[in-house]
Amino acid sequence: MTALDRKLWRDLWHLRGPIIAITLVIASGVSCFVMFMSTLDSLLLSRELYYRDHQFAEVYAPLKRAPESVRQRIDRIQGVDKVDTRVVAPLRIDIEGFDEPVNGLITSIPDSDQPLLNQLYLRRGRLIEPGRNDEVIIAEPFAEAHRLGPGDSLHVIIKGKRKKLRIVGIGGSPEHIHQLRPGGMFPDFERWGVLWMGRTALAHAYDMENAFNHVVATLLRDADEQNVIDQLDDMLKRYGGAGAFTREDQVSHRFLAQELAQLENLSGVFPIIFLGVAAFLLNVVVTRLVGAQREQIATLKAFGYTNWSVAWHYLQMIMLIVVAGAFIGVVAGAWLGNVLSGIYVNLFRLPFLHFELDPMRIVQSTLITTVAGMLGTLAAVHAALRLKPAEAMRPEVPAIYRRTLLEEMGLKRLLSVPSRMILRNISHKPVKSLMSILGIALACAILMTGRFQEDTISFMMDVHYALSQRDDIGVTFNEATSRTALAELRSIQGVEYGEASRAVLARLHHEHRSHRVHLQGFEQNAVIKRLVNADLRPVSLPSDGIVLNEYLATKILGVQVGNLLTVEVLEGSQRVREVPVVALIRQDLGVGAYMDLRALNRLMQEGDVISGAYLYVDDRYAKEVYEQLIDRPQVAATAIRIQEIRNFHRTMDETLLFWTSVATLFAVVIAVGVVYNSARITLAERSRELASMRVLGYTRGEISYILLGELALLTLVAVPLGLWFGRGLCAYIAQTLENELYRVPLVLEPDTYAFSALIILLAAAVSGLWVRRQLDRLDLIEVLKTKE
Amino acid sequence: MVFHTRGISKTYRMGEVEVHALRGVDLDLFEGEFVVLLGPSGSGKSTLLNILGGLDVPTTGAVRYKDQNLSAADEALLTRYRREHVGFVFQFYNLIPSLTAQENVALVTEISSKPLPPEDALKLVDLGDRLDHFPAQLSGGEQQRVAIARAIAKRPDVLLCDEPTGALDLKTGVIVLEALARVNRELGTTTVVITHNVDIARMADRVIHLSDGQITAIEVNNDKKSAAELAW
Ligand SMILES: Nc1ncnc2c1ncn2[C@@H]1O[C@H](COP(=O)(O)OP(=O)(O)OP(=O)(O)O)[C@@H](O)[C@H]1O
Ligand SMILES: [Mg+2]
């Protein structure tokens, strides 16, 4: 080992404090990156494998009823690969001991085999056995919600007929990964069940013998998608076809895709921010570490060491830090990625996780930090090398200490000598001070991002359910009926008030863009269901025309108020009409298209009918109201808002908790790393000067004041700046997160500001205490022995 | 001739103030000479020495070392010049705090072609028993002796010493000066020593007086004394 190598190791050991701190900062940045990227990669891969291995269909065509013979004609459509027909039926489910209404969807599978497409994933139990018409397979989350397993039984009501079924299997299908009731916003596994039954048995129960009401298909590689859709629509028109669509409009796929896209967006933001901040801090710290050794650099040069060998010496030191940090980061990140993927797999209800850590991700993160570290090192070494050795060897006195502005303003007499030293120290190295401030501010800013999501999601939920979707129970009827159905509901004891609603499945077209939605109609003077404008003030529903939420209008359809929208009704009359867009509203959750109930009925030409109701219910009678609703055959589905919200929180909480803790942990590490390093390096730079002051008779307290005062002043400037940065960062994240599922408003609770500021101040206080201890131990003799 | 300077001056600019550290120095130094630089504090001695050693370049004027033009040399050339020819003893010792005495010497011998073993160099300055001590564990004078050992260990062609005995007592001062004289005598190393001690000038072949950035006098000493003979 050469003397220079020895110096390397000794310096590493001597600087272990700041080095450990910066290593952890890098590790945080890298592990955040690895965690996110591996989670994203793993989820995409898991979904892909699930889709592929279970033959996820590409085209979906619901219809009223067609004879099985039509299947052959579909088979012959150009571009179609595999075709499967099935019976899909809505049903009500009766579960012993659960007195709230439960609805669901049951799909047929072959009597003794896997279907051709959308094959089942069996977690437990088995498929249907031939000849058994009472066997059913239920979806895993539904089974979990009610603690049902193979061998248990449940009652279902299909087409008004009650039937007892025996559960033989628990599983899932690629078309029901994300399970939503029609028009629902969040999964509700307790009150919405997905089931599968043998074709013969279901056809019998649903009056679909030798017929089907749903087609799924896959396409050949070079198929013309639109052509297949058009041909299917043509062919199925006389069988009550409700518009064929591709995967992109398939509910489960669409939601999952949106959620993954969101995660992808997050992955594009957070890791970059964390890694970027870590890289920046590494750069700052390295610059100061190397800068503190300028005299040693000059000495090495005086002896004839070349610039390159000096630079290499420091590069090695930094590379060791970077590699150690990256290593810890990758290991921790892979572990956290596994946990996070697990949480998401649960949240998204993917049946399995195929965890994948792409070596490319390791290379990427290591590369980013390495380059940042190298640039920092080279810049600092370069700065030291640029000086002539003779100059660099002297203690650094580049600038002239000037009197600061405050002193100029005549405050001199008010400030003690130590106070003036603080101000001069800061102002005489403005860049260094600025970098410290910036570092601390960035740490403060990323602390805010961890909690921001929590704030904004609560806000979004509050706005949606308190201002707009204000019902206690939403009822959906089997089919459009007269208003007497509403009157009936209102007469139930416990129902305080009720409003009519109508939902029509439609495809909205504008130019080349289109979107499938439930077009919702309600009364103009409605108080339960309301629309709000951008300022969250209620707006009244125009008596004609269509109202869209901002996102659907501008981002999906590209329409403005005044444009004509083509409404293609996908049920009943199947009419196509031009309707003007008359207003845009704010709706942060989901997308929505609204019309006055009367106008919607005119459009449908079906008279004054309704298809659902929103109810206010007295809490004390909730149970009785549920019972009544369950007993009414015309009630197809019941949404209990409070449950919807609870469900949402339950699923979100785990994710958010993990997310917030991890982000906070990383941010704290980064914050402490920065503040500690600032203090530590300042101490190294100042120890001689401070020791001299001690020799002159200043007390420990007085010299601590100079150093800690500087640290405190920098921190106090950095915190407000950091909060401001944090706000900007959150705004940026909010913007990136915007998608069909929700638009994230920029909401930051005072708590979040306070928390971030507090963590920084705590980090500063702890670092300050540490510095204070070091100062108390300052060895005056040793510091003053060398030089002059 | 080893060094040949013509009209070198050095100006430091600090804001609006200009400090003229050197104002037109013409100087020739010869092979194997032992030269002492004398002058009041701030007269420019260190500045001149640093320019001769290739640590700094003059603002104007020419410096030659043998056939190399140092005032026009680039960074790489100056580095090679220092590495191959120059041994330094700095006014502020400039030891690497994280290296022991022996390693501080090794730092230089490792990049020289015909060095003394570090231990021998340290024995020359009477520090053979302090090899493994860190600078912080040595007195100021001992640190200076390590710095001298480091300078002579590479057997340089020129040895440039900035107040090498400033912090030393008589006994060690004599040891150090003897070591310098021996290297000068036995290896023919051209040696330049800055000092405030007029007595040391009696060891020199020539004494150069500097004042306010200019050479005011050059004395030739015909009665060279050995270090032991100096009365402190
Ligand atoms: N980097 C610098 N910036 C500004 N002025 C400088 C610098 N280096 C030296 N000087 C000034 O140049 C002049 C000559 O300095 P030099 O160090 O050569 O003096 P010296 O003769 O070695 O003094 P001493 O005996 O006190 O060491 C002094 O006035 C000094 O203040
Ligand atoms: Mg000097």
Side-chain angles (χ1 to χ4, degrees):
Chain A
M1 202 185 329
T2 65
L4 209 54
D5 290 336
R6 287 224 177 81
K7 168 173 166 359
L8 177 71
W9 291 108
R10 300 244 172 85
D11 284 350
L12 283 172
W13 174 245
H14 179 64
L15 295 169
R16 62 194 176 278
I19 285 175
I20 289 172
I22 195 64
T23 304
L24 290 179
V25 167
I26 298 169
S28 294
V30 169
S31 69
C32 179
F33 184 87
V34 168
M35 172 183 85
F36 257 111
M37 295 307 176
S38 65
T39 298
L40 182 67
D41 291 345
S42 305
L43 289 174
L44 288 172
L45 182 71
S46 303
R47 180 185 66 168
E48 217 32 63
L49 289 178
Y50 190 29
Y51 279 3
R52 195 195 66 201
D53 295 348
H54 291 261
Q55 304 288 331
F56 184 43
E58 286 162 281
V59 171
Y60 294 77
L63 58 145
K64 270 237 148 70
R65 180 196 175 97
E68 189 60 25
S69 57
V70 175
R71 180 200 178 120
Q72 280 148 35
R73 287 168 46 208
I74 298 172
D75 247 332
R76 284 197 294 270
I77 294 177
Q78 170 104 51
V80 166
D81 184 16
K82 293 180 198 146
V83 175
D84 213 356
T85 63
R86 52 229 195 125
V87 175
V88 176
L91 80 171
R92 289 183 18 222
I93 306 170
D94 208 351
I95 289 165
E96 204 126 338
F98 189 76
D99 49 16
E100 291 169 33
V102 181
N103 306 101
L105 194 73
I106 188 160
T107 305
S108 72
I109 55 172
D111 284 343
S112 61
D113 207 355
Q114 281 281 7
L116 194 56
L117 299 176
N118 293 344
Q119 294 176 347
L120 300 193
Y121 173 88
L122 270 185
R123 173 78 68 196
R124 287 193 287 151
R126 55 166 173 83
L127 288 173
I128 309 291
E129 273 178 3
R132 310 292 288 265
N133 64 1
D134 65 342
E135 291 187 349
V136 69
I137 295 170
I138 67 172
E140 191 174 14
F142 182 66
E144 275 170 14
H146 292 287
R147 298 172 192 282
L148 293 171
D152 293 335
S153 55
L154 43 76
H155 287 92
V156 300
I157 297 113
I158 301 175
K159 272 223 154 159
K161 280 174 289 188
R162 199 176 155 87
K163 199 166 161 59
K164 185 178 176 181
L165 297 178
R166 240 163 30 82
I167 299 167
V168 296
I170 308 292
S173 143
E175 67 177 317
H176 291 297
I177 298 173
H178 196 107
Q179 301 177 9
L180 273 189
R181 66 171 75 246
M185 201 72 80
F186 310 109
D188 179 351
F189 300 123
E190 262 182 311
R191 289 163 203 81
W192 179 253
V194 172
L195 294 71
W196 294 268
M197 216 173 144
R199 173 80 175 259
T200 314
L202 185 57
H204 179 74
Y206 202 56
D207 293 338
M208 280 281 168
E209 268 128 345
N210 289 318
F212 61 90
N213 67 352
H214 207 268
V215 181
V216 287
T218 50
L219 299 174
L220 291 172
R221 194 173 283 279
D222 52 356
D224 175 355
E225 217 174 68
Q226 194 51 48
N227 180 46
V228 172
I229 299 283
D230 291 344
Q231 294 216 37
L232 261 176
D233 279 347
D234 275 355
M235 194 175 290
L236 297 177
K237 191 148 208 158
R238 34 189 292 245
Y239 305 109
F245 51 89
T246 59
R247 254 188 209 182
E248 270 52 62
D249 281 326
Q250 204 267 336
V251 175
S252 166
H253 175 81
R254 189 169 183 103
F255 270 74
L256 195 58
Q258 294 274 349
E259 309 236 43
L260 285 173
Q262 196 136 40
L263 191 65
E264 195 163 359
N265 286 343
L266 274 178
S267 314
V269 179
F270 274 97
I272 302 301
I273 290 172
F274 274 71
L275 203 53
V277 170
F280 170 78
L281 295 177
L282 173 66
N283 196 309
V284 171
V285 171
V286 164
T287 308
R288 293 187 71 174
L289 274 183
V290 175
Q293 295 211 347
R294 64 192 287 264
E295 291 159 39
Q296 298 189 32
I297 292 175
T299 307
L300 289 175
K301 281 199 65 187
F303 294 136
Y305 279 89
T306 59
N307 285 351
W308 170 243
S309 53
V310 174
W312 174 235
H313 170 65
Y314 288 97
L315 277 180
Q316 275 177 300
M317 176 156 147
I318 302 311
M319 284 310 102
L320 274 170
I321 301 177
V322 169
V323 167
F327 178 76
I328 298 173
V330 166
V331 172
W335 182 74
L336 288 170
N338 216 326
V339 176
L340 185 64
S341 310
I343 289 176
Y344 272 111
V345 156
N346 237 334
L347 182 72
F348 295 163
R349 288 285 167 184
L350 283 164
F352 54 81
L353 170 66
H354 195 101
F355 187 73
E356 157 105 344
L357 177 57
D358 185 347
M360 225 16 237
R361 302 301 196 187
I362 300 176
V363 173
Q364 282 169 351
S365 56
T366 310
L367 211 65
I368 294 176
T369 36
T370 307
V371 168
M374 288 198 7
L375 287 180
T377 314
L378 289 177
V381 173
H382 179 73
L385 289 176
R386 210 181 40 212
L387 297 174
K388 288 278 164 280
E391 213 174 314
M393 232 180 294
R394 294 167 166 266
E396 194 175 2
V397 276
I400 314 150
Y401 279 90
R402 273 193 219 93
R403 288 190 294 160
T404 55
L405 191 64
L406 281 177
E407 294 174 72
E408 297 282 355
M409 277 155 49
L411 289 172
K412 182 169 174 175
R413 249 166 302 149
L414 296 179
L415 295 171
S416 61
V417 173
S419 300
R420 269 182 264 156
M421 282 183 71
I422 294 176
L423 289 180
R424 287 187 197 171
N425 283 340
I426 290 177
S427 63
H428 126 260
K429 286 184 181 159
V431 176
K432 195 181 273 181
S433 306
L434 202 73
M435 285 301 188
S436 298
I437 291 176
L438 217 59
I440 299 172
L442 280 173
C444 179
I446 55 178
L447 268 167
M448 286 174 67
T449 61
R451 294 172 61 100
F452 157 65
Q453 288 200 72
E454 213 170 330
D455 290 352
T456 189
I457 287 178
S458 316
F459 176 83
M460 229 160 44
M461 294 294 286
D462 284 354
V463 166
H464 189 74
Y465 288 105
L467 296 181
S468 184
Q469 190 74 44
R470 299 162 11 119
D471 54 320
D472 295 323
I473 296 183
V475 173
T476 311
F477 300 127
N478 276 323
E479 54 204 351
T481 80
S482 77
R483 279 177 180 274
T484 51
L486 175 63
E488 250 173 66
L489 292 182
R490 283 168 83 158
S491 70
I492 296 175
Q493 187 185 24
V495 173
E496 292 174 335
Y497 181 65
E499 274 172 13
S501 71
R502 166 117 214 229
V504 173
L505 186 62
R507 202 194 303 260
L508 307 180
H509 299 267
H510 176 69
E511 286 163 2
H512 60 280
R513 311 200 206 184
S514 72
H515 191 69
R516 269 166 71 100
V517 287
H518 277 98
L519 186 51
Q520 297 177 54
F522 57 95
E523 317 250 24
Q524 264 185 303
N525 57 0
V527 294
I528 301 186
K529 173 72 194 173
R530 287 193 318 197
L531 302 180
V532 294
N533 65 10
D535 307 326
L536 299 178
R537 301 208 181 289
V539 290
S540 57
L541 192 58
S543 61
D544 224 334
I546 193 166
V547 176
L548 302 174
N549 77 329
E550 225 14 273
Y551 187 82
L552 176 59
T554 54
K555 296 283 160 60
I556 301 182
L557 294 171
V559 292
Q560 292 170 335
V561 171
N563 287 155
L564 277 183
L565 207 56
T566 310
V567 177
E568 176 194 357
V569 175
L570 295 175
E571 53 186 64
S573 60
Q574 308 242 352
R575 296 162 58 86
V576 179
R577 276 280 175 282
E578 303 265 285
V579 183
V581 176
V582 288
L584 299 187
I585 52 139
R586 169 167 175 184
Q587 180 184 335
D588 292 335
L589 232 46
V591 294
Y594 305 93
M595 286 181 81
D596 170 36
L597 183 55
R598 274 158 240 280
L600 181 58
N601 277 332
R602 276 199 301 278
L603 181 127
M604 296 294 289
Q605 290 194 311
E606 285 177 1
D608 189 17
V609 295
I610 63 176
S611 69
Y614 298 126
L615 306 178
Y616 273 158
V617 173
D618 183 340
D619 267 355
R620 287 166 302 175
Y621 294 99
K623 219 171 155 167
E624 286 80 352
V625 174
Y626 298 152
E627 255 166 43
Q628 289 277 337
L629 290 174
I630 291 170
D631 286 345
R632 270 158 218 267
Q634 79 267 35
V635 172
T638 312
I640 301 165
R641 285 314 161 211
I642 185 84
Q643 293 299 350
E644 221 171 78
I645 299 171
R646 253 183 228 150
N647 272 316
F648 172 77
H649 278 298
R650 200 171 325 143
T651 48
M652 265 338 256
D653 279 353
E654 196 187 351
T655 324
L656 276 182
L657 185 70
F658 176 83
W659 167 250
T660 310
S661 350
V662 169
T664 305
L665 180 74
F666 287 161
V668 167
V669 168
I670 290 180
V672 174
V674 178
V675 179
Y676 165 78
N677 258 331
S678 283
R680 167 72 215 243
I681 297 172
T682 313
L683 175 67
E685 290 166 350
R686 293 284 153 71
S687 53
R688 179 182 305 280
E689 177 182 316
L690 296 174
S692 314
M693 291 187 71
R694 288 273 285 122
V695 171
L696 293 178
Y698 279 87
T699 63
R700 286 172 179 170
E702 282 163 337
I703 60 162
S704 304
Y705 169 73
I706 297 180
L707 206 58
L708 298 182
E710 182 178 337
L711 183 64
L713 201 61
L714 292 181
T715 311
L716 289 182
V717 174
V719 165
L721 188 70
L723 296 178
W724 184 66
F725 278 1
R727 196 179 163 80
L729 211 54
C730 291
Y732 176 68
I733 291 166
Q735 200 195 331
T736 339
L737 282 182
E738 180 178 282
N739 75 0
E740 201 181 311
L741 302 185
Y742 47 87
R743 270 67 58 197
V744 181
L746 181 59
V747 179
L748 288 162
E749 297 294 334
D751 277 12
T752 300
Y753 287 108
F755 171 80
S756 311
L758 200 71
I759 292 287
I760 297 291
L761 293 178
L762 262 174
V766 171
S767 307
L769 278 178
W770 178 85
V771 167
R772 174 69 216 245
R773 242 189 44 206
Q774 297 295 309
L775 279 178
D776 287 351
R777 290 193 196 149
L778 200 61
D779 184 341
L780 303 187
I781 320 292
E782 191 172 307
V783 173
L784 293 182
K785 199 153 52 180
T786 49
K787 293 192 184 173
E788 287 150 306
Chain B
M1 202 189 305
V2 184
F3 286 110
H4 174 81
T5 79
R6 280 300 167 265
I8 53 172
S9 46
K10 181 77 186 176
T11 311
Y12 293 106
R13 175 175 289 281
M14 301 162 72
E16 294 106 68
V17 193
E18 275 192 355
V19 179
H20 298 282
L22 292 178
R23 321 163 180 256
V25 172
D26 301 337
L27 183 63
D28 293 321
L29 297 177
F30 302 98
E31 186 95 44
E33 255 193 319
F34 192 114
V35 174
V36 165
L37 270 181
L38 276 179
S41 181
S43 56
K45 305 180 296 290
S46 298
T47 307
L48 178 59
L49 201 74
N50 287 340
I51 290 175
L52 293 180
L55 291 177
D56 208 346
V57 286
T59 315
T60 58
V63 191
R64 298 188 69 81
Y65 167 79
K66 294 186 179 162
D67 51 0
Q68 289 182 37
N69 184 353
L70 296 183
S71 43
D74 64 3
E75 181 56 44
L77 201 77
L78 283 179
T79 300
R80 215 174 60 226
Y81 162 65
R82 293 195 300 265
R83 180 191 282 231
E84 288 170 2
H85 305 293
V86 189
F88 283 109
V89 178
F90 300 111
Q91 193 170 2
F92 304 129
Y93 322 156
N94 286 77
L95 299 180
I96 303 291
S98 54
L99 295 179
T100 62
Q102 187 188 16
E103 288 159 356
N104 259 290
V105 178
L107 195 64
V108 175
T109 57
E110 277 168 5
I111 57 167
S112 350
S113 49
K114 43 178 174 48
L116 293 172
E119 303 76 33
D120 292 0
L122 283 163
K123 273 183 205 139
L124 269 180
V125 292
D126 220 12
L127 280 176
D129 51 348
R130 307 297 293 274
L131 300 180
D132 295 328
H133 286 86
F134 287 95
Q137 297 166 320
L138 297 170
S139 75
E142 286 160 348
Q143 290 187 40
Q144 183 63 308
R145 276 142 71 194
V146 174
I148 289 167
R150 187 172 63 176
I152 57 178
K154 75 194 292 192
R155 300 183 211 250
D157 296 320
V158 293
L159 190 54
L160 306 175
C161 313
D162 199 338
E163 296 192 45
T165 57
L168 308 183
D169 59 42
L170 174 66
K171 186 170 156 275
T172 36
V174 168
I175 293 171
V176 164
L177 288 171
E178 267 179 348
L180 291 178
R182 187 160 72 217
V183 173
N184 170 252
R185 202 171 49 238
E186 290 173 4
L187 304 174
T189 310
T190 309
T191 307
V192 182
V193 177
I194 292 177
T195 181
H196 284 133
N197 188 331
V198 185
D199 279 330
I200 294 176
R202 296 200 283 149
M203 287 176 69
D205 293 313
R206 284 198 296 161
V207 181
I208 296 164
H209 292 266
L210 220 61
S211 176
D212 202 14
Q214 284 171 315
I215 294 180
T216 48
I218 301 182
E219 299 169 47
V220 179
N221 182 10
N222 292 319
D223 181 21
K224 239 176 112 172
K225 295 271 192 300
S226 76
E229 292 171 293
L230 300 178
W232 292 61

